[in-house]
Amino acid sequence: MLSNLHNCDFISALLHLLREDTADIHVLSVACLQQIVLRKIDYTQWLRLVSSLPGAINEANDASTKQESIKATSEGKTLDNLEVLVDKYPFHRALSKMLAYTISAHIAHITNDKDITKERGQNFQVVTNFLILLADMLSHPSPRICGEQSNTWAILLRDPQLSKTQTRLLQPCFERLIVAYSTHLVRIRWEDVEEQNHPYAALFEESFSDRDEYDLFLGDLRSKANLIFRMIGGIDPELGTSVLYQKFEYLFATYANGGVRDHLDPTTGELTQQSTAVMELEGFNLPLDNLIHGLPKWALDDTKKIPSYMDPSRVKVRNEVKSMLGNIATKIIAWNPKDTWLKFRRVTLMEALKYYWEYDATRLISAIDAFLLYLGDETPTSVGIQNLSPDVISLRKKAGVSLIAVTKKVPHLLVSWLGQLSERVKSLLSMSSILPANRMHLYEFLSCVATAVDDPTVRSKFIADVLSDALTQIESTQIKEAIGSVDGLLTFLGVTAAGSNPASVTDEAVVGQVTSNFVRLFSAFNQLLSVGKRCHEAAKSRPNAGIPLSESQLLATQNQDIFPDEGTVSISDLSMNDPFVHLWPRIVPSLMQVLNTIFSIWHPSNQAKYLKDPVQRFIYAISDDEAYLAKNQGSISNGGVFGEDGTAGSVVSGWDRRACNLAPKWSGWFNELRGTCLQLLGLVAAQRALFSPEISPIYPSLVSVVANTDHLNAMEHRHMSQYIKQFMDYILLSCPSTLYQSHVAPIAAPFFQHMEHRLKCTWAPVLKMNGIPPESTKPLMTGDCETVALLAQRGGDEWIVSYYARGGAFVGDLDAVISEALVEKLRVEVSRCYADMLQAALALKGDWALVLANAARDEQATKKGDSSVLASGPKSKVYDGKLVNADGSERSKFYYAIEARKQQRIDKLCHFLLLENETIAGYLVLSVVECLNYPDAYTCRRCLKICHRILETVSWVDRYTHLLGFQMFTYAVRGVIYEQRWMVGIEWDMINVIRDIYCRLVLGQSLQCGGQGAAMQSPMDATGTQFEQTKVVDKPLQGGGILCKPSDLPRQALVSLPGISPEMVMQLEAKLKEKRSAKDQKDTLRDILRIAADNLKENENGDDLGMLGRADVSESLLNQKESAKKDVIQDLPERLVTQSMIMKKSETSFYTPDSAEMGANLFE
């Protein structure tokens, strides 16, 4: 391209055309250059392009300036620079993107050139000049220009070779980067753009179509800029801090004392969110927060006297950095603004210093005092909680959140002040105007500090004192009566009264009393949850990771296979790490009561009663918030529920939760109460108190609630998703391996049996199975309540099938489009939660998967004899030589002992789930197999990974042969040959499962974990009738075993396919034995499955079945070779295809055993 081949130099021509703006030729030239650089040109061409671009751009700018001047002179006008910027905006934006791609697409060219990385020679100067040009463009007034480069700078800063402090390739750009991004992060008032009051209004109108587009862009820019500031702080602490310090000095001098007062509140005369001072300080907060977060420890910590910290150059930098940050902290602490929104900005700036307080706590207690002061902040016109202005409420909530954020970072520095802080908190809690949210913040604040107390007894006593009010509340007679029965809770929440007096739901006195009732009930449980979670987090962050052993005991168990703590542990022992657990015997009884009551409200007998009532029925409705998330696919932008496009008042028509009406409040209340109680249930499992001797007497009662079949059947999909994420995940991962039969089995057995049936009924209408019409997925709306109430009264399978088809959702008066989106969301969410839970339990994701990754990396380091592998992780991070996990996070002090326990649970839980309980194993495997047929790629892809783990664990067990060799194999084959649109992108994963099954059950070949690697052939035994078992049959993570006596079931399934003969199957097996690499075997299987797919297609009528329809040839994996052919005119088909043949459709049937046959009798 850059050579003079045939006297043509395309690059030079395009560079020359950059100066030609006629018909936007310069923009088109940039687009051509962009396409060239995206094709990863070789080093010589790239370097020549990089050296040529700056000069060409300067020449283009000079030519453009000259032309604009001539044009203005000829028209008798003065040159308007803004007009020029607007005219040139498309060119500048395209140029910025192209220059960024020139670097980001060729990072390897920079890192592989030793002259560049060693800062020497002409090449280094060429690249440096190019990067400076790139950085100079960031000063363009339009933030779009800056946004086009964000990814490139992030890539450069994250590259380990380029980010080393001794490499000065990037440093000349740092100041430009910080100044440009901190400038563009300041939000503009869009009204100023619309009214042409902004100096660059015309340019912003050219850059963004409307306010929404600008808001989305700014959010994206801020998220990417966070990383840039953080990385600069880590690479050059002194420069980064110095630039921001200068900016702070300017902002503080200009705006801190209200020197610029515009856009004032007409009522109070105070600054508002739209005031320039507030917006400028808001834009500074993110840069400060992220830069301090990114500072290396040596730049702040002067307590360590190790050589690397005491290097003279580092000492100098540290002194400068701490001096500048100290000055910032001093001024912020001394600042006493009068305007509410300046107070808000002061709170955010103090929170941004949380990483600094850790190393210099001289002003920390003053910051804590300021947070506590703002929790009770009132203005002269807003005294009392009912009269607080929205601005004051925002300030109080932010002060509470910031208080927790700072305290979580430095709790140990506040322990000496615990007595005084406790008294201050009690004083605040006694205020009638304190917000409910701030009450929670105060309890969390004290619990965070208390967890840093060294004495376990003192810690536990303090936590008990903090929570005494909440415990008293849940043990009070009124609360016990309320949560003890369905009638009691519904009466407590005003539902019963609404049946006899519908007007009561809008009676101000009734609404106030009922709201107070709920707040007392919910706040008690929520306080327990908040404090319990903080205590659990603190326990897990201790060196022993919360294991109930001393450090010496933990060290003594490092090389053992039997761990003394892997069983029942008393609450007194658990309290040594976690000061909250001793409260569980008081909490669990009330927790069981409230959960039992809430679950019972959804029983069909109660739904039949309350759905008939025009007001009471709304206890079953979704909330406006859930409707909003369904409408916006999980996004919370565009103003939220109460915004212009919000859904407030759409479920209970004309009423929202802010109104004086109980009906729209009930749905949110039940969601909050149920979610909090389920999280408490997960917390008691995670803290291991659930498995303690003190809880064992009431454990059967707890099982009767959480594993009650009636409760499970009556849960809506949204409730089941909560149940899985907030409880089942924790009990599976937290239960000691010796207690699986006694504690997990009673809960897991009914759960897996239920989930298999729930998922089947949920997807049946979509798949048009069992005669269930697709119309049954229509959500329940207000007009259909009477009919559904009669169906609920009859109960049984008829009700359950229709209930699951619509996800159990009652949408009230919500419009049909959002309602349908909600049902689809609920359907896929419950399926995905189930798949994610199984993945976590089988160590395919999450914390346990990290343990396996660490083990694999340790093995690699041992084989290579290179321990440096253990001190490095993902290449996108910079490491300081300390041991890290495979994901780059720092390893704990006793990681070996901790991971040994997790490794044991990984092995034993997999064995327990699949080989020790027939109900659990049968329904678990059957549900996973059936998920391969449900049209959700997320669920299917994860279930395919689970299938590999199942095969590795149980393929050698004869009792599984039919389930794996026919059922799983048939579903996988059908998924490939039907070529459904939703399956596009996961066909190779499906074929790999087919390969895994066929190798293990038919050919006597074993594979590596996850179906990877070449197949390893096992020899025949002396009889010649069966294969010898592998040596790792009892070790699934090392590949597992095979079926010694080959099964014919997969062969029969293949022969039953259209176009497949027994001879073809024999040829297939010969090829699979001859070539055993993963690629060869998968290609061979794809070839035979293509034949079956082609035969099926010939008899299809071409109906458009949407996502269930067949993918196009261009999308199909089976037809990759055909779709890859280019510039070939295909011959006309020799075979005549008539209309009757097109209309004819053959139905290929696959035998599908029912659940009872496949699950319940698995071990008989």
Side-chain angles (χ1 to χ4, degrees), residues 247-535:
K247 187 173 182 66
F248 171 79
E249 288 284 284
Y250 166 76
L251 292 175
F252 197 81
T254 306
Y255 301 113
N257 297 315
V260 178
R261 302 189 65 83
D262 54 10
H263 294 81
L264 302 179
D265 186 311
T267 304
T268 64
E270 288 193 355
L271 299 176
T272 65
Q273 280 184 283
Q274 299 298 311
S275 299
T276 302
V278 176
M279 297 175 74
E280 288 286 345
L281 290 169
E282 183 220 6
F284 179 73
N285 185 72
L286 280 177
L288 179 65
D289 189 334
N290 286 281
L291 186 126
I292 299 177
H293 188 189
L295 293 175
K297 291 182 179 179
W298 63 260
L300 292 170
D301 190 357
D302 52 11
T303 61
K304 293 184 178 180
K305 304 303 180 182
I306 57 178
S308 62
Y309 278 54
M310 298 309 295
D311 178 88
S313 61
R314 287 190 168 186
V315 172
K316 177 179 178 297
V317 169
R318 181 164 59 245
N319 292 336
E320 289 293 330
V321 169
K322 294 194 70 173
S323 173
M324 288 184 283
L325 292 180
N327 289 338
I328 292 176
T330 300
K331 289 188 176 182
I332 294 174
I333 293 299
W335 186 23
N336 186 26
K338 303 301 180 184
D339 296 275
T340 300
W341 276 105
L342 286 184
K343 294 177 182 178
F344 190 100
R345 298 270 63 91
R346 182 189 179 213
V347 166
T348 58
L349 290 172
M350 288 190 295
E351 180 187 350
L353 291 167
K354 58 183 176 288
Y355 302 103
Y356 167 72
W357 301 128
E358 184 177 4
Y359 300 100
D360 185 356
T362 53
R363 305 166 189 83
L364 173 60
I365 196 64
S366 298
I368 298 297
D369 183 69
F371 291 139
L372 294 174
L373 178 66
Y374 286 152
L375 291 181
D377 186 79
E378 293 180 347
T379 61
T381 58
S382 59
V383 180
I385 192 170
Q386 301 298 328
N387 299 316
L388 292 177
S389 68
D391 290 348
V392 172
I393 292 175
S394 296
L395 170 63
R396 287 188 174 195
K397 289 182 176 180
K398 182 58 184 176
V401 171
S402 298
L403 174 67
I404 300 303
V406 172
T407 307
K408 284 177 64 178
K409 187 64 181 173
V410 290
H412 57 288
L413 298 177
L414 298 172
V415 170
S416 60
W417 301 87
L418 186 55
Q420 296 95 315
L421 292 173
S422 181
E423 291 300 319
R424 182 70 183 280
V425 167
K426 288 180 181 178
S427 174
L428 286 170
L429 290 174
S430 66
M431 293 173 55
S432 60
S433 63
I434 198 76
L435 296 175
N438 287 147
R439 290 183 181 275
M440 298 304 307
H441 294 143
L442 291 170
Y443 285 119
E444 283 191 62
F445 164 62
L446 288 181
S447 65
C448 285
V449 180
T451 55
V453 175
D454 291 330
D455 189 331
T457 304
V458 175
R459 282 201 305 259
S460 297
K461 184 178 183 303
F462 187 85
I463 292 297
D465 290 341
V466 168
L467 294 173
S468 59
D469 289 344
L471 292 168
T472 302
Q473 194 69 251
I474 65 173
E475 292 173 341
S476 66
T477 303
Q478 185 182 17
I479 293 297
K480 282 187 174 181
E481 290 177 354
I483 65 178
S485 65
V486 171
D487 289 339
L489 184 58
L490 295 183
T491 300
F492 190 71
L493 297 180
V495 179
T496 302
S500 57
N501 180 20
S504 65
V505 298
T506 55
D507 184 278
E508 187 172 345
V510 173
V511 172
Q513 180 59 50
V514 171
T515 301
S516 176
N517 288 345
F518 172 76
V519 169
R520 284 193 294 119
L521 173 62
F522 173 71
S523 295
F525 283 107
N526 200 29
Q527 287 168 18
L528 295 171
L529 175 64
S530 299
V531 174
K533 288 172 69 175
R534 298 302 174 209
C535 292

Side-chain angles (χ1 to χ4, degrees), residues 111-362:
T111 56
N112 291 336
D113 190 323
K114 299 302 181 183
D115 286 344
I116 297 177
T117 55
K118 296 293 184 181
E119 312 166 35
R120 64 192 181 197
Q122 185 177 359
N123 293 352
F124 168 74
Q125 195 59 50
V126 166
V127 175
T128 300
N129 292 339
F130 188 89
L131 291 175
I132 291 175
L133 168 66
L134 199 61
D136 284 340
M137 289 201 70
L138 298 175
S139 61
H140 193 284
S142 172
R144 283 283 193 190
I145 310 302
C146 191
E148 298 295 353
Q149 298 186 22
S150 297
N151 290 335
T152 296
W153 288 111
I155 292 171
L156 287 168
L157 292 167
R158 292 172 68 176
D159 189 281
Q161 287 183 263
L162 301 180
S163 60
K164 292 177 182 177
T165 53
Q166 65 265 29
T167 301
R168 301 300 173 188
L169 181 68
L170 301 179
Q171 270 78 350
C173 305
F174 284 172
E175 183 172 357
R176 295 173 174 86
L177 283 169
I178 295 174
V179 171
Y181 276 98
S182 59
T183 299
H184 291 306
L185 291 186
V186 178
R187 185 184 299 275
I188 65 166
R189 289 181 290 268
W190 195 254
E191 294 81 5
D192 290 348
V193 174
E194 294 176 332
E195 297 169 7
Q196 300 297 305
N197 291 328
H198 193 280
Y200 293 104
L203 182 60
F204 274 89
E205 287 181 331
E206 182 71 16
S207 303
F208 305 99
S209 58
D210 54 26
R211 182 201 301 268
D212 290 342
E213 185 180 354
Y214 171 72
D215 289 341
L216 288 173
F217 168 81
L218 185 62
D220 181 64
L221 182 68
R222 286 182 170 183
S223 66
K224 292 177 179 178
N226 289 344
L227 177 62
I228 292 174
F229 287 117
R230 198 172 302 176
M231 296 301 293
I232 291 177
I235 297 170
D236 196 333
E238 185 177 12
L239 174 63
T241 306
S242 175
V243 176
L244 282 188
Y245 177 67
Q246 294 174 33
K247 187 173 182 66
F248 171 79
E249 288 284 284
Y250 166 76
L251 292 175
F252 197 81
T254 306
Y255 301 113
N257 297 315
V260 178
R261 302 189 65 83
D262 54 10
H263 294 81
L264 302 179
D265 186 311
T267 304
T268 64
E270 288 193 355
L271 299 176
T272 65
Q273 280 184 283
Q274 299 298 311
S275 299
T276 302
V278 176
M279 297 175 74
E280 288 286 345
L281 290 169
E282 183 220 6
F284 179 73
N285 185 72
L286 280 177
L288 179 65
D289 189 334
N290 286 281
L291 186 126
I292 299 177
H293 188 189
L295 293 175
K297 291 182 179 179
W298 63 260
L300 292 170
D301 190 357
D302 52 11
T303 61
K304 293 184 178 180
K305 304 303 180 182
I306 57 178
S308 62
Y309 278 54
M310 298 309 295
D311 178 88
S313 61
R314 287 190 168 186
V315 172
K316 177 179 178 297
V317 169
R318 181 164 59 245
N319 292 336
E320 289 293 330
V321 169
K322 294 194 70 173
S323 173
M324 288 184 283
L325 292 180
N327 289 338
I328 292 176
T330 300
K331 289 188 176 182
I332 294 174
I333 293 299
W335 186 23
N336 186 26
K338 303 301 180 184
D339 296 275
T340 300
W341 276 105
L342 286 184
K343 294 177 182 178
F344 190 100
R345 298 270 63 91
R346 182 189 179 213
V347 166
T348 58
L349 290 172
M350 288 190 295
E351 180 187 350
L353 291 167
K354 58 183 176 288
Y355 302 103
Y356 167 72
W357 301 128
E358 184 177 4
Y359 300 100
D360 185 356
T362 53

Side-chain angles (χ1 to χ4, degrees), residues 1145-1156:
K1145 180 178 181 181
S1146 66
E1147 297 183 356
T1148 304
S1149 63
F1150 290 88
Y1151 168 62
T1152 305
D1154 61 22
S1155 302

Side-chain angles (χ1 to χ4, degrees), residues 795-1045:
D797 287 341
E798 182 184 6
W799 173 77
I800 285 179
V801 169
S802 65
Y803 188 62
Y804 292 160
R806 60 180 170 86
F810 170 42
V811 298
D813 304 317
L814 194 64
D815 72 71
V817 175
I818 301 177
S819 300
E820 291 176 9
L822 174 76
V823 172
E824 174 65 20
K825 178 177 181 290
L826 296 175
R827 183 188 303 118
V828 298
E829 186 176 54
V830 73
S831 305
R832 294 175 179 183
C833 287
Y834 181 65
D836 285 339
M837 178 204 71
L838 288 177
Q839 277 202 301
L842 297 175
L844 293 168
K845 67 172 290 186
D847 189 37
W848 284 7
L850 179 61
V851 171
L852 298 184
N854 285 339
R857 195 182 54 154
D858 292 347
E859 183 180 356
Q860 180 188 17
T862 302
K863 287 181 178 179
K864 291 184 175 181
D866 181 10
S867 60
S868 64
V869 174
L870 304 178
S872 61
K875 294 182 179 180
S876 59
K877 296 183 178 181
V878 181
Y879 303 97
D880 56 5
K882 294 182 180 179
L883 293 181
V884 296
N885 292 308
D887 64 351
S889 59
E890 189 174 340
R891 271 191 163 177
S892 60
K893 182 178 179 181
F894 302 106
Y895 73 90
Y896 189 86
I898 295 168
E899 292 187 357
R901 287 161 169 77
K902 293 179 179 179
Q903 180 74 59
Q904 187 182 82
R905 287 191 190 178
I906 290 170
D907 296 334
K908 291 193 173 184
L909 182 58
C910 182
H911 191 275
F912 167 74
L913 292 175
L914 297 173
L915 289 168
E916 296 181 28
N917 185 296
E918 64 177 351
T919 304
I920 293 175
Y923 286 106
L924 186 158
V925 176
L926 181 59
S927 63
V928 170
V929 169
E930 290 171 341
C931 281
L932 302 183
N933 192 41
Y934 300 151
D936 178 49
Y938 180 102
T939 302
C940 184
R941 190 185 295 276
R942 281 145 187 80
C943 284
L944 288 170
K945 294 181 180 179
I946 297 169
C947 284
H948 285 298
R949 184 56 48 86
I950 292 170
L951 289 164
E952 293 152 9
T953 307
V954 302
S955 60
W956 56 275
V957 181
D958 293 335
R959 290 163 294 181
Y960 269 101
T961 301
H962 196 275
L963 181 54
L964 303 180
F966 188 82
Q967 187 83 334
M968 183 185 288
F969 188 80
T970 298
Y971 272 100
V973 168
R974 180 164 56 186
V976 175
I977 65 174
Y978 281 178
E979 302 180 280
Q980 292 175 318
R981 288 191 181 96
W982 70 268
M983 182 74 68
V984 171
I986 58 177
E987 302 98 319
W988 278 125
D989 297 328
M990 192 73 81
I991 289 176
N992 202 31
V993 167
I994 296 171
R995 172 188 178 235
D996 205 348
I997 298 171
Y998 212 88
C999 287
R1000 293 181 189 272
L1001 271 62
V1002 179
L1003 303 179
Q1005 297 176 352
S1006 61
L1007 308 177
Q1008 296 177 25
C1009 182
Q1012 302 178 51
M1016 294 166 282
Q1017 183 68 55
S1018 293
M1020 284 287 187
D1021 65 4
T1023 65
T1025 58
Q1026 60 183 27
F1027 297 103
E1028 292 182 4
Q1029 188 54 265
T1030 66
K1031 296 180 180 180
V1032 292
V1033 61
D1034 59 340
K1035 299 177 180 178
L1037 299 177
Q1038 296 182 26
I1042 61 171
L1043 186 65
C1044 292
K1045 186 177 181 180

